[in-house]
Amino acid sequence: MAGKAKISYFYDPDVGNFYYGQGHPMKPHRVRMTHNLLLHYGVYKEMELFRPALASAEDMTQFHSDEYIEFLRLITPDNQHEHMRQLKRFNCAEDCPVFDGMFNFCQIYTGGSVGGAVRLNHKQTDTVVNWAGGLHHAKKNEASGFCYVNDIVLAILELLKVHQRVLYIDIDIHHGDGVEEAFYTTDRVMTVSFHKFGEYFPGTGHLQDIGQHKGKHYSVNVPLKDGIDDESYNMLFKPVMAKVMEMYAPDAVVFQSGADSLTGDRLGCFNLSIRGHAECLKYMMTFNVPLLVLGGGGYTIRNVARCWTYETGCLLGHELDDKMPVNDYSEYYGPTHTLQISPSNMENQNTPEYLEGVRNRILENLSKIAPKPSVPFHDVPPDAITQEAQEVKEDPDAKGGGAEAEASRRAHHSELEPGEGDRDDRPSRQDHDTRDMNTVTTYEPGSHKFEDAIKDEEEASDVDAIAELGDAAAAGDPGEDADAKVKTTNCDELVLDRDYADGGLGRDDSDELDRAPSVLPGIILNDHDGQ
């Protein structure tokens, strides 16, 4: 990419209207705050602005099961109490509540990510930004960790229609488990996740999780401890990513820029400054590879907006003024009203010896990667979202939603940045995947018992119930598609659960590098070499 990079920016002004519920830490309003800062800094003028086309249910089933997406499409806060069995099966409770407009929310953020991938495929842009995307925990057949539809997996599948190899990088404090699982057995995608590991959601991402079958060595996990600072983080990030780019040589990069790795995050325990966080993105820009930049976690929303605004400026080659312009949410940023934040004095539990051991083990694994293969492309599949569906926003609303939406938001006091007293009023993300570990019977993948269990589960339970849900929705609203049908899932593509008996790292650094999880991940998604 010669000269200044061309950047496409996806934003829907409705995204800030969605509300997970009182006390829930995930607040889509942070995307509206980010957009508003970008407008008042004036940098939006240097990007192509697009309102994303809504992703369809069919688009989503390129990865997710038909039953799960049909459930998301039809479930509402009003009818959920009639379908408790399906809520449990698809994990829509507590961390992942059913809320008004939930499916539409998924359509918006997924449409931005997939639509951005389409533009990269057609070489219409060098970099795409979709801060509403990056929901990396969603699984093929269930919601997880505030995430319902995995827009990242769907965007990568779109990129694979044209690009031979795609690299996924995740700097969210939580392991990018949903994306890793989807591509755990293929060499077409490499996943690299830098995350907190040990008694922390989702409990996956061990150093020795490196992929399976054709995907062996194509999953890279960088397990970190509490309190990591800018210097320690970049001591790992830059040498690891330099080796990845040397050995893997991707044709496109997807960068998940979760902001819960910042200091002071409501759910986080790292100590990164905004500049330290952004240094990772700036480093990847130096490789001049087509880039899709997504949001992710981040629960101290004033700092999320600061971070993503600053990183958008970095993509445009600007060092934004630390003194914030007056904006519609200035009350959030007091008393300093500055873009940058200061790290705390929390202890960095990542010793130099531990970091060196992690780095050396990862570099050793990366040295085993085979040379870049030749993948022939004969017939490129059609775009998931057509170019005509992307709406160009020439004059975006400065409030990102208008006065009516703003009045609605302010009516919910819990949408305002919570104070210290609100910190306990939130769902727990820790040990989420181990909630029934002691009572659930597990079978080894590939065994007869496992196959029988899968078959019984599929045949016995939810297809009829979801079909009834569809009938009820159609009867209640003649405007809905009364002919909607639920297709059965191909059992060969079912998600297999991970089960880590360890639960986390040991206390001794030397032991941590050698302790593998007691059960390796299953095969998650069929290999995409045939695309």
Side-chain angles (χ1 to χ4, degrees):
M1 297 184 291
K4 188 174 181 179
K6 186 176 182 181
I7 298 179
S8 297
Y9 171 82
F10 282 76
Y11 174 75
D12 190 309
D14 292 335
V15 75
N17 296 338
F18 297 101
Y19 180 57
Y20 274 60
Q22 185 173 3
H24 199 291
M26 174 61 102
K27 300 185 185 298
H29 176 58
R30 66 204 177 130
V31 181
R32 176 182 288 161
M33 291 173 61
T34 302
H35 180 72
N36 193 258
L37 268 182
L38 291 172
L39 295 179
H40 285 278
Y41 268 107
V43 294
Y44 75 94
K45 300 174 184 177
E46 301 177 43
M47 302 183 288
E48 289 184 308
L49 274 62
F50 294 91
R51 182 168 187 165
L54 299 181
S56 67
E58 183 179 359
D59 295 332
M60 297 174 187
T61 56
Q62 298 304 304
F63 170 61
H64 295 285
S65 71
D66 295 337
E67 294 95 334
Y68 174 55
I69 294 303
E70 186 73 350
F71 166 80
L72 291 181
R73 189 175 75 84
L74 298 173
I75 198 73
T76 68
D78 292 334
N79 66 22
Q80 64 175 323
H81 301 296
E82 303 168 14
H83 303 281
M84 301 304 293
R85 188 177 182 182
Q86 288 71 48
L87 290 172
K88 183 176 181 180
R89 167 158 170 73
F90 298 120
N91 197 31
C92 283
E94 300 179 355
D95 282 5
C96 302
V98 175
F99 58 87
D100 286 327
M102 181 178 69
F103 186 70
N104 185 226
F105 174 62
C106 296
Q107 288 183 294
I108 289 173
Y109 73 74
T110 301
S113 298
V114 175
V118 169
R119 290 191 64 77
L120 289 173
N121 282 350
H122 286 272
K123 299 182 179 180
Q124 295 172 318
T125 191
D126 303 312
T127 300
V128 171
V129 179
N130 177 30
W131 292 125
L135 276 70
H136 59 171
H137 293 307
K139 309 297 174 56
K140 181 183 179 70
N141 206 43
E142 69 172 25
S144 178
F146 313 163
C147 308
Y148 301 88
V149 172
N150 200 314
D151 63 296
I152 305 171
V153 171
L154 292 167
I156 291 174
L157 290 174
E158 188 68 22
L159 290 170
L160 288 172
K161 293 178 180 179
V162 171
H163 297 89
Q164 187 171 289
R165 283 183 157 189
V166 176
L167 170 64
Y168 172 67
I169 306 167
D170 191 317
I171 64 170
D172 192 291
I173 195 172
H174 300 94
H175 177 230
D177 56 336
V179 184
E180 178 183 281
E181 288 182 1
F183 302 109
Y184 203 69
T185 61
T186 180
D187 60 2
R188 295 283 309 281
V189 179
M190 175 176 279
T191 62
V192 185
S193 179
F194 296 78
H195 52 270
K196 157 74 174 174
F197 185 78
E199 297 183 0
Y200 200 73
F201 182 89
T204 52
H206 193 283
L207 180 63
Q208 293 189 24
D209 287 349
I210 59 174
Q212 286 184 337
H213 308 299
K214 294 183 73 172
K216 187 174 182 179
H217 300 303
Y218 292 90
S219 291
V220 179
N221 284 296
V222 187
L224 302 169
K225 301 181 184 181
D226 291 10
I228 193 164
D229 56 23
D230 295 352
E231 182 180 0
S232 297
Y233 203 93
N234 281 286
M235 175 182 170
L236 275 177
F237 186 88
K238 290 185 177 180
V240 166
M241 295 317 304
K243 188 69 171 179
V244 165
M245 298 301 288
E246 173 193 347
M247 300 300 296
Y248 190 61
D251 303 300
V253 173
V254 178
F255 189 97
Q256 199 265 22
S257 191
D260 47 7
S261 46
L262 291 174
T263 184
D265 187 78
R266 184 180 176 189
L267 300 185
C269 54
F270 284 178
N271 199 23
L272 297 182
S273 71
I274 288 174
R275 284 196 174 93
H277 192 274
E279 188 62 30
C280 301
L281 181 58
K282 291 168 71 174
Y283 183 68
M284 295 313 302
M285 291 168 56
T286 65
F287 293 97
N288 294 319
V289 176
L291 184 62
L292 174 59
V293 180
L294 306 174
Y299 308 101
T300 300
I301 60 175
R302 59 182 180 271
N303 292 343
V304 176
R306 284 175 160 123
C307 180
W308 292 346
T309 298
Y310 180 75
E311 290 180 344
T312 305
C314 292
L315 291 169
L316 291 166
H318 297 310
E319 179 69 25
L320 298 182
D321 191 347
D322 190 37
K323 184 178 180 181
M324 282 185 170
V326 175
N327 61 86
D328 296 336
Y329 307 107
S330 290
E331 70 270 20
Y332 282 77
Y333 306 110
T336 64
H337 296 283
T338 58
L339 192 60
Q340 300 300 325
I341 58 175
S342 300
S344 73
N345 61 353
M346 70 184 299
E347 178 189 1
N348 183 358
Q349 298 180 17
N350 300 269
T351 65
E353 294 77 19
Y354 174 74
L355 295 173
E356 183 179 1
V358 170
R359 183 182 66 231
N360 291 343
R361 182 67 62 84
I362 291 171
L363 296 180
E364 178 185 348
N365 288 338
L366 288 171
S367 68
K368 300 174 183 177
I369 291 177
K372 184 174 183 177
S374 176
V375 180
F377 287 98
H378 300 293
D379 297 319
V380 177
D383 298 333
I385 294 177
T386 63
Q387 294 294 292
E388 292 76 13
Q390 307 295 345
E391 180 183 340
V392 180
K393 294 169 62 65
E394 296 292 347
D395 186 20
D397 181 351
K399 279 198 179 287
E404 182 178 349
E406 179 64 6
S408 174
R409 179 192 69 79
R410 292 182 182 275
H412 294 285
H413 296 294
S414 55
E415 277 293 85
L416 296 173
E417 185 63 24
E420 292 295 321
D422 188 42
R423 287 184 177 272
D424 293 331
D425 183 20
R426 63 178 184 269
S428 172
R429 290 172 64 108
Q430 295 191 8
D431 301 326
H432 182 73
D433 276 0
T434 61
R435 53 193 179 275
D436 292 319
M437 185 174 291
N438 294 327
T439 58
V440 175
T441 302
T442 59
Y443 301 108
E444 183 69 16
S447 69
H448 292 297
K449 287 185 177 180
F450 178 85
E451 297 300 333
D452 291 342
I454 290 294
K455 183 177 180 181
D456 291 343
E457 181 180 69
E458 287 300 309
E459 292 179 349
S461 60
D462 295 315
V463 172
D464 291 339
I466 299 170
E468 292 173 5
L469 180 61
D471 293 340
D477 183 2
E480 291 290 327
D481 182 6
D483 295 325
K485 296 181 179 179
V486 179
K487 295 182 284 184
T488 58
T489 302
N490 180 351
C491 290
D492 292 337
E493 294 185 350
L494 282 174
V495 176
L496 311 185
D497 291 335
R498 290 167 173 256
D499 179 10
Y500 289 85
D502 289 318
L505 290 169
R507 294 183 179 179
D508 183 73
D509 288 348
S510 62
D511 289 342
E512 291 165 12
L513 303 180
D514 297 320
R515 182 180 293 116
S518 52
V519 180
L520 289 174
I523 302 170
I524 304 305
L525 187 68
N526 289 344
D527 195 274
H528 295 283
D529 288 344
Q531 286 195 339

